[in-house]
Amino acid sequence: MTKKSSRAKPLLETINSPADLRRLKEEDLLPLAQEMRTFLIDSVSRTGGHLAAGLGTVELTIALHYAFNTPDDRLVWDVGHQTYPHKILTGRRERMASLRQTGGISGFPRREESEFDAFGVGHSSTSISAALGMAVAAARTGVERQVVAVIGDGALSGGQAFEALNNAGNMDADLLVILNDNDMSISPNVGAMSNYLARILSGKVYTHIREGSKTVLSTIPPVWELAKRVEEHMKGMVMPGTLFEELGFNYFGPVDGHNLHALIRMLRNLRDLKGPRFLHVVTRKGKGYEPAEGDPCVYHGVTPFDPATGKMEKKPAGTTYTKVFGDWLCDMAARDVRLVGVTPAMREGSGLVAFSQRYPNRYFDVGIAEQHALTFAAGLACDGMKPVVAIYSTFLQRGYDQLIHDICLQNLPVLFAIDRAGLVGADGATHAGSFDYSYLRCLPNMTVMAPADENECRRLLTTGFMLNGPASVRYPRGTGPGIAIDPELESFPVGKAEIRRTGKRIALLAFGSMLAPALETGEAFDATVVNMRFVKPLDEEVVEQMARTHEWLITLEENVIAGGAGSAVNEYLMTAGIMTRVVNLGLPDHFIEHGDHRSQLASCGLDVAGIRRTILRHVKADASVVRETA
């Protein structure tokens, strides 16, 4: 008779909240970390998402929830790419199969999703500011709680992070900042020494001696100054903490972010201290998964993949707008030596890899610092360069004052290549480029262009580059309709639209990505279709022509209706005294949740079926007018 297996239930399946985690013995945490990595790789291999960063924070996440009493203690993550282990431990393990899908959980922390998500985030460098606010709120209300901000080394390059550090140190706030540094390595010997020193420096005995020495020695100023300098010198010899000490923080580290027991002891020590504390933790992106360790950049954000080999699913065929831009940038750089490329830490995402390799002396990655990127570009333009700033629509929002004050006000020739315009699918509301028509077209001197296909994108980039003032070309994520690309660097007449189809009664004025569904809709309703191309300057002549020869104007844009391209049409018609019936179609006045891009468009009525429903509802066209298509 065969004996029945008595295999124990996996540890991970017993964890439905951090309270369950804290009931485990410390020796159980290492096997739990292994199970979490296996689960994370398997889960993300099915859904796609951010992988390498989360693999690097498994032990740190376990240690944080084990040492602190979350959610009463506040845990604030920066960006959120590294929070999948956090989601798994906070009651969302079974929902990971729905990650970034319509109706599923977000790829970023969201307050609406879980009480353990103390702060919603998608953009970087916000964690310390938010955590400082929470620490001050706790002090003001008399609530005893710990507040912890976890920020990556990339996000620490953002200016807001340093503004917050400076403010927190000056306020002597009760706050712990953890730097998750995954861009350096520690050899075993140095790592062990750093762990030991950090543990000693964070211990109560050292702290009491240090504080007592301050009291005693401060009565003898020369001796106190000498003691302070000796301490700083000794700490500076073994750890890079001088900057943070000068900002008013007690610095500890660096420590090995994959040594669970050392992390837990360290965090417990720091939990008992007061004031601003800074812990430097070193982790490895992609930890525990060979393909991701070997190329953490590629495995930062992944499509579904085979966990055994790491091979990802093929992306849809066709040329992406990002590649169109990257190719154009190299071609234009060969023609004009004044061209320089600037990006705020988005080399891969914005299509600058080839340019950075071919023209390394003309390529500038300024880090996650959008404000600096724009003013830096303005400075370049002042002295004869022709800067091209490659940036996502949602990130350009972060440099808006610099766009107005430093570029538009001075009418400087800076071209903005704006990627990820419109809805972006799985990344959701934090990354959607929903507002750029609205916030750009109101700026004096700015030219705002919207290509409808790949070839237009290339030509409008050339158009903008040739202008002697600020200009923008915004294009969506992914591939276009598949239009052949002319290798020549030709431009368009500024502010001129193109009538693509001539029909009756209804004129569809399409901006950018909305041309393709407008053409299909135009066939069904025998409508005129105009490819507007320019949001600013608007082709007022063609707008007036359409208004005087059609009963209805329908504007279409993948931007919020409020203040968008349709609003520009409305404003012109009212100013010109032209009374006609206009319907504006675009993104509604609420944030669009993550999910499939097609589903997002459908939910906004911007797919062909939605456009047709709107026309029938407003225009009340009879059946003889509508030519149904198969």
Side-chain angles (χ1 to χ4, degrees):
M1 184 174 178
T2 305
K3 189 175 180 179
K4 201 169 186 179
S5 171
S6 58
R7 185 180 177 185
K9 187 176 184 180
L11 282 169
L12 187 57
E13 292 184 15
T14 69
I15 307 298
N16 295 308
S17 75
D20 295 330
L21 173 70
R22 291 189 282 268
R23 282 190 283 268
L24 292 180
K25 296 178 181 178
E26 195 170 320
E27 57 262 31
D28 290 330
L29 299 182
L30 282 175
L32 175 65
Q34 293 174 349
E35 290 182 19
M36 283 183 64
R37 273 203 175 81
T38 301
F39 178 86
L40 184 59
I41 293 165
D42 180 69
S43 175
V44 179
S45 75
R46 300 171 190 271
T47 63
H50 295 100
L51 180 64
L55 289 172
T57 58
V58 168
E59 288 85 3
L60 178 59
T61 305
I62 291 173
L64 284 165
H65 283 294
Y66 197 73
F68 291 95
N69 186 34
T70 53
D72 291 336
D73 289 336
R74 303 298 196 228
L75 182 54
V76 181
W77 297 92
D78 211 285
V79 183
H81 295 150
Q82 72 274 44
T83 56
Y84 293 2
H86 164 78
K87 288 177 181 280
I88 292 168
L89 290 178
T90 54
R92 288 167 278 184
R93 182 185 72 253
E94 294 184 355
R95 296 193 66 201
M96 287 295 289
S98 70
L99 183 74
R100 295 164 29 105
Q101 298 174 29
T102 303
I105 61 174
S106 170
F108 302 98
R110 291 190 66 193
R111 285 168 52 82
E112 301 91 338
E113 188 175 290
S114 171
E115 63 178 337
F116 292 94
D117 291 358
F119 195 72
V121 66
H123 292 182
S124 82
S125 313
T126 62
S127 59
I128 304 173
S129 298
L132 177 59
M134 294 175 190
V136 171
R140 294 275 299 189
T141 55
V143 175
E144 288 289 334
R145 69 161 49 105
Q146 297 288 325
V147 182
V148 182
V150 183
I151 186 167
D153 55 284
L156 197 62
S157 69
Q160 184 180 355
F162 283 95
E163 292 173 12
L165 285 170
N166 183 60
N167 190 206
N170 185 58
M171 293 174 67
D172 198 32
D174 192 9
L175 170 69
L176 172 60
V177 175
I178 297 177
L179 169 60
N180 173 31
D181 183 350
N182 52 33
D183 198 34
M184 66 178 284
S185 61
I186 295 181
S187 66
N189 291 335
V190 176
M193 178 61 74
S194 296
N195 289 342
Y196 172 74
L197 288 169
R199 189 163 70 249
I200 292 297
L201 291 170
S202 66
K204 292 182 179 178
V205 173
Y206 173 84
T207 304
H208 288 162
I209 293 172
R210 186 176 188 271
E211 295 304 314
S213 298
K214 283 183 181 179
T215 303
V216 174
L217 296 178
S218 61
T219 61
I220 315 172
V223 177
W224 167 237
E225 279 300 316
L226 175 62
K228 184 179 178 184
R229 291 187 180 211
V230 168
E231 181 194 36
E232 290 177 351
H233 177 68
M234 292 300 294
K235 291 176 74 173
M237 288 173 64
V238 295
M239 61 190 69
T242 305
L243 170 63
F244 304 107
E245 294 275 4
E246 291 296 327
L247 287 170
F249 279 75
N250 280 328
Y251 172 91
F252 307 95
V255 297
D256 183 356
H258 302 298
N259 185 331
L260 253 173
H261 300 307
L263 275 176
I264 291 168
R265 288 195 297 272
M266 170 63 63
L267 291 172
R268 283 173 172 167
N269 282 344
L270 293 175
R271 184 185 60 192
D272 297 332
L273 301 182
K274 296 295 183 181
R277 293 143 287 155
F278 192 98
L279 175 61
H280 184 173
V281 175
V282 177
T283 61
R284 182 171 184 177
K285 271 188 178 179
K287 173 72 173 176
Y289 187 52
E290 187 175 345
E293 284 190 11
D295 199 339
C297 185
V298 168
Y299 286 85
H300 168 72
V302 297
T303 57
F305 62 94
D306 180 355
T309 63
K311 187 175 181 180
M312 296 184 209
E313 288 184 1
K314 289 184 177 180
K315 294 182 179 179
T319 302
T320 65
Y321 282 102
T322 302
K323 187 175 188 312
V324 171
F325 164 70
D327 291 344
W328 171 85
L329 190 66
C330 290
D331 293 344
M332 185 57 75
R335 173 189 285 190
D336 193 328
V337 296
R338 298 174 300 165
L339 183 150
V340 290
V342 179
T343 185
M346 293 305 299
R347 185 183 78 142
E348 288 78 18
S350 293
L352 289 167
V353 174
F355 178 80
S356 68
Q357 294 168 345
R358 195 176 302 177
Y359 300 101
N361 295 329
R362 296 159 67 181
Y363 165 74
F364 301 96
D365 182 345
V366 302
I368 303 176
E370 292 86 359
Q371 292 175 299
H372 167 58
L374 268 64
T375 305
F376 172 62
L380 288 165
C382 281
D383 277 354
M385 296 293 101
K386 292 278 284 185
V388 178
V389 178
I391 192 167
Y392 289 6
S393 172
T394 186
F395 298 151
L396 182 55
Q397 296 162 187
R398 309 188 79 186
Y400 194 56
D401 178 62
Q402 288 68 35
L403 178 60
I404 298 172
H405 181 271
D406 300 338
I407 295 175
C408 289
L409 182 61
Q410 303 183 88
N411 197 26
L412 293 172
V414 178
L415 173 62
F416 293 91
I418 305 176
D419 206 331
R420 271 49 168 195
L423 300 174
V424 292
D427 279 341
T430 59
H431 283 57
S434 305
F435 312 106
D436 53 82
Y437 285 166
S438 304
Y439 70 67
L440 289 174
R441 78 173 190 85
C442 64
L443 302 181
N445 297 325
M446 174 63 75
T447 298
V448 183
M449 294 169 276
D453 58 51
E454 301 91 332
N455 193 52
E456 279 198 359
C457 184
R458 183 175 172 91
R459 291 187 64 180
L460 286 174
L461 286 165
T462 302
T463 304
F465 186 77
M466 297 298 185
L467 295 175
N468 194 31
S472 67
V473 178
R474 66 103 78 166
Y475 42 90
R477 182 178 191 172
T479 59
I483 302 300
I485 299 173
D486 186 344
E488 296 300 319
L489 292 169
E490 297 182 0
S491 60
F492 282 118
V494 175
K496 293 299 180 182
E498 173 196 33
I499 298 174
R500 292 289 295 269
R501 187 186 190 283
T502 302
K504 305 172 184 175
R505 292 191 63 192
I506 303 165
L508 303 175
L509 309 184
F511 292 85
S513 60
M514 286 292 101
L515 179 62
L519 287 170
E520 187 173 341
T521 305
E523 287 296 318
F525 286 89
D526 191 24
T528 296
V529 179
V530 183
N531 175 19
M532 294 300 295
R533 281 194 187 130
F534 290 83
V535 177
K536 182 182 182 180
L538 190 71
D539 191 335
E540 297 173 350
E541 183 179 337
V542 81
V543 170
E544 181 170 344
Q545 177 188 343
M546 293 300 108
R548 296 194 185 283
T549 56
H550 295 75
E551 298 175 32
W552 286 87
L553 299 186
I554 313 291
T555 67
L556 302 100
E557 61 189 299
E558 199 172 337
N559 185 89
V560 290
I561 295 172
S567 292
V569 172
N570 301 344
E571 290 162 14
Y572 169 70
L573 291 172
M574 291 186 68
T575 301
I578 301 172
M579 302 300 294
T580 190
R581 290 172 288 189
V582 184
V583 176
N584 300 135
L585 289 182
L587 303 181
D589 189 27
H590 61 80
F591 293 105
I592 307 302
E593 298 298 323
H594 56 272
D596 175 75
H597 183 237
R598 291 182 181 179
S599 299
Q600 289 178 324
L601 287 174
S603 72
C604 300
L606 291 178
D607 61 342
V608 173
I611 297 168
R612 290 173 64 170
R613 284 195 303 271
T614 299
I615 290 175
L616 289 171
R617 183 169 66 250
H618 285 279
V619 180
K620 296 181 175 59
D622 58 42
S624 63
V625 174
V626 182
R627 301 189 307 197
E628 295 293 339
T629 58

